[in-house]
Amino acid sequence: MMYVVFIMSVLYVVGFIGFSSKPSPVYGGMSLVVSGGLGCGIVMSSGGSFLGLVVFLVYLGGMMVVFGYTIAMATEEYPETWGSNVVVLSAFLVGLLMEVFMVMWLFSGEHELVGFYFSGLEGLMVLGEGGFEYVREDYSGGASLYSYGFWFLAMAGWMLFVSIFIAIEVTRKRY
Amino acid sequence: MNPLALSLILTTLLAGTLITMMSSHWLTAWMGLEMNMLTMIPILMKTTNPRSTEAATKYFMTQAMASMMLMMALTINLMYSGQWSITKMTNPVASNMALMALMTKLGSAPFHFWVPEVTQGVELTPGMILLTWQKLAPLSLLYQMATYTNTNLIYLSGLLSILIGGWGGLNQTQLRKILAYSSISHMGWMLIILPFNPTLTLLNLTIYIMLTLSIFMILTNTFTTSMSSLTLMWNKTPAMTIMLMTTLLSLGGLPPLSGFMPKWLMIHELTKNNSIIMPLTMAIMALLNMYFYMRLIYYSSLTILPSTNNMKMTWRFTNTKHTMTLPTLITLSNMLLPLTPMISMLE
């Protein structure tokens, strides 16, 4: 089980390398979708089924959709992909090489790395399989945002409101 | 900017710092820092030239990276200790990473590269907010978590900040960059005394904010941003020129002005702890700062450069800028030294 989480996290990083090597945002968005899906998988395999689906809904289904529409409006005739420019390709390959080195390093020595002996999930996520609880932590966490954590919710809502103003101020015509 | 949007953004800037300063939970502290960063961006972009857009982008990039590192430090701390309190960050990986993130937010070496460029790219008023208000939140977090960090890292960063703040400001003619390097240097002083006596960090912060606010307000009132326009300031407001001279001397740490108070108390505290070479180095490097302040004083107050006769008699227009808090700030930044025993109220 831990093996699956490990593979998902490696591919998550590879997805990040895919868009940090700066192709056109069209391809970067696709890489971000792949990374988002794998991140959801990591969250779900640690027991947070609700929060993983929230990632899919809000992140991929809300923000990525808006992002996709905006880059479709701003796209160019020959978008830069990973194979079109030698700079982008070499950045991607360097990142991939670094990830391979890191995986090799993880499997090589006798370090006390929690969880990388594929034995169990203890200690990797606080929100793990903590036995038989009466309430699952991810559901109770989401619910407590509306009860005990009301001010967190208020601040989060306030910042979303203010960030609209900030985005409009930043993208105002500058002359 | 639209007054409604500006008041909303300034309120959120205030709220962000206050949330960070009042929090005992790392998540709310991080939340306040993010609020600060996001609402600072339109303030930095108030003018409409590409330079300020570039400055705001650089600010956002460095501060977002610092926030990411801070979040990683928080989660590592959570993983190893299971709690979110700021004062008990016992895992060294977490506390050192959080230290480096907060040092990036403050603009101390070796993470200081964004400070001169961002301060130079914006107008004087956003630069003033950047160098004074934005120091409050990270320093309040550092004050709480510094007991578990590696003090060698703090001393290294502090000494490097004083060196870079001194040497970097020597070749500058733009006043905003000079004030940015001055900020880097003062952050160095504040960091070094943090493991010894954190009260002196707060004292240094208070006096530094008063001094920097005074200088920025004097510069805003006379529309001077470079040393060449500084030479014409005697013509417009001779009183403010003299006040600039005394405030700059105070910023350099010259007795009997109030800027001497934190430096004196810090060197005293360091020597009480059997550390001789470090305060010696710090005091000598503060002379570099003093050199370029003296250069500013020389060109603004002590000499009048050759000019034509009609420049010596300007028509006095009414001043349209507010000078409301400036007399109080100037008095405070020059004459606080006799009140040194009152620092016991900061404890």
Side-chain angles (χ1 to χ4, degrees):
Chain A
M1 180 56 191
M2 195 54 208
Y3 195 55
V4 173
V5 174
F6 178 68
I7 290 184
M8 278 198 286
S9 54
V10 168
L11 290 176
Y12 180 78
V13 174
V14 170
F16 268 62
I17 296 169
F19 67 77
S20 340
S21 51
K22 285 183 279 292
S24 160
V26 182
Y27 299 101
M30 182 196 82
S31 185
L32 208 53
V33 167
V34 167
S35 287
L38 287 165
C40 163
I42 295 171
V43 169
M44 285 177 92
S45 57
S46 306
S49 51
F50 170 61
L51 290 176
L53 288 176
V54 164
V55 166
F56 254 112
L57 250 181
V58 175
Y59 186 70
L60 297 180
M63 297 196 262
M64 282 307 297
V65 164
V66 174
F67 181 62
Y69 275 113
T70 51
I71 59 180
M73 283 198 291
T75 191
E76 50 204 358
E77 196 180 356
Y78 296 105
E80 194 169 294
T81 173
W82 294 285
S84 67
N85 190 1
V86 69
V87 176
V88 176
L89 181 66
S90 48
F92 183 69
L93 288 178
V94 164
L96 205 59
L97 198 68
M98 291 296 127
E99 179 67 14
V100 166
F101 282 162
M102 198 205 76
V103 171
M104 279 166 48
W105 175 77
L106 276 173
F107 282 117
S108 68
E110 307 85 27
H111 336 275
E112 275 302 316
L113 284 172
V114 174
F116 281 108
Y117 299 107
F118 301 123
S119 56
L121 255 180
E122 316 88 23
L124 193 62
M125 274 196 77
V126 182
L127 203 63
E129 289 112 11
F132 296 104
E133 305 275 341
Y134 288 113
V135 183
R136 282 194 58 91
E137 283 112 343
D138 52 347
Y139 288 102
S140 65
S144 66
L145 192 65
Y146 289 85
S147 64
Y148 301 112
F150 164 69
W151 284 111
F152 275 95
L153 185 70
M155 279 300 122
W158 179 256
M159 271 321 287
L160 284 174
F161 174 62
V162 171
S163 54
I164 296 287
F165 279 84
I166 294 174
I168 290 181
E169 273 306 318
V170 164
T171 54
R172 186 185 291 277
K173 278 195 178 197
R174 311 231 127 228
Y175 47 75
Chain B
M1 212 190 291
N2 182 15
L4 191 61
L6 182 65
S7 56
L8 189 71
I9 286 171
L10 284 179
T11 309
T12 315
L13 181 69
L14 200 77
T17 306
L18 287 178
I19 285 176
T20 304
M21 288 170 78
M22 287 193 294
S23 65
S24 49
H25 191 281
W26 260 121
L27 197 63
T28 50
W30 179 86
M31 188 173 74
L33 286 174
E34 291 291 289
M35 284 169 79
N36 249 356
M37 173 182 76
L38 272 182
T39 53
M40 198 59 198
I41 296 173
I43 295 176
L44 292 178
M45 282 177 78
K46 257 204 288 200
T47 51
T48 54
N49 49 16
R51 187 78 187 269
S52 46
T53 311
E54 176 192 337
T57 313
K58 279 181 191 164
Y59 181 76
F60 175 67
M61 288 284 152
T62 46
Q63 300 273 315
M65 184 208 73
S67 289
M68 277 194 318
M69 267 176 42
L70 188 64
M71 184 51 112
M72 172 138 200
L74 308 190
T75 44
I76 291 176
N77 178 42
L78 180 66
M79 186 165 92
Y80 280 102
S81 64
Q83 43 88 23
W84 292 91
S85 82
I86 299 181
T87 53
K88 299 278 188 297
M89 227 178 172
T90 45
N91 187 22
V93 176
S95 63
N96 291 332
M97 199 184 278
L99 176 71
M100 286 195 283
L102 291 172
M103 289 196 305
T104 311
K105 283 203 173 276
L106 284 173
S108 56
F111 312 109
H112 65 283
F113 292 98
W114 60 274
V115 187
E117 300 173 14
V118 174
T119 318
Q120 179 61 28
V122 297
E123 290 287 309
L124 280 170
T125 310
M128 177 171 81
I129 300 177
L130 183 75
L131 290 182
T132 53
W133 183 259
Q134 296 293 87
K135 310 287 183 202
L136 289 176
L139 263 175
S140 68
L141 289 177
L142 260 184
Y143 179 89
Q144 295 177 58
M145 60 162 269
T147 49
Y148 281 101
T149 56
N150 188 4
T151 50
N152 290 324
L153 211 55
I154 297 182
Y155 300 150
L156 176 71
S157 168
L159 271 177
L160 217 53
S161 297
I162 299 175
L163 291 177
I164 290 177
W167 274 321
L170 282 180
N171 199 20
Q172 307 295 336
T173 55
Q174 293 287 326
L175 295 178
R176 285 167 288 178
K177 271 197 179 164
I178 284 181
L179 287 169
Y181 281 107
S182 148
S183 152
I184 295 173
S185 168
H186 280 265
M187 283 303 128
W189 280 87
M190 284 185 228
L191 275 179
I192 287 185
I193 204 64
L194 197 58
F196 291 103
N197 190 358
T199 310
L200 292 180
T201 304
L202 296 181
L203 174 74
N204 196 0
L205 178 71
T206 315
I207 294 192
Y208 163 73
I209 286 180
M210 274 192 292
L211 289 168
T212 310
L213 279 177
S214 313
I215 294 184
F216 265 109
M217 280 200 208
I218 293 174
L219 297 179
T220 315
N221 274 313
T222 51
F223 302 97
T224 49
T225 50
S226 74
M227 268 206 310
S228 53
S229 36
L230 201 62
T231 56
L232 301 172
M233 201 162 81
W234 66 271
N235 223 347
K236 294 181 263 194
T237 50
M240 251 187 223
T241 314
I242 299 173
M243 291 299 116
L244 180 68
M245 170 175 92
T246 52
T247 314
L248 275 173
L249 286 174
S250 185
L251 191 64
L254 206 61
L257 305 170
S258 33
F260 178 60
M261 188 196 328
K263 291 196 165 58
W264 164 36
L265 292 172
M266 282 192 212
I267 293 180
H268 196 67
E269 192 70 34
L270 284 168
T271 51
K272 273 193 266 183
N273 281 289
N274 287 329
S275 155
I276 309 291
I277 298 180
M278 193 155 71
L280 181 68
T281 316
M282 287 157 67
I284 291 178
M285 287 301 150
L287 287 175
L288 289 171
N289 270 324
M290 199 60 217
Y291 175 71
F292 55 81
Y293 299 146
M294 284 301 298
R295 187 165 44 196
L296 293 181
I297 294 167
Y298 182 74
Y299 284 117
S300 65
S301 328
L302 299 182
T303 53
I304 297 177
L305 296 183
S307 56
T308 54
N309 271 332
N310 57 356
M311 279 178 72
K312 295 183 175 38
M313 300 173 290
T314 54
W315 191 263
R316 303 289 170 100
F317 293 100
T318 56
N319 192 8
T320 53
K321 297 230 162 224
H322 331 282
T323 56
M324 189 172 65
T325 55
L326 193 53
T328 315
L329 275 175
I330 290 178
T331 314
L332 282 177
S333 52
N334 290 336
M335 300 174 69
L336 264 186
L337 193 63
L339 289 180
T340 305
M342 284 187 74
I343 60 164
S344 54
M345 93 186 160
L346 275 177
E347 309 254 349

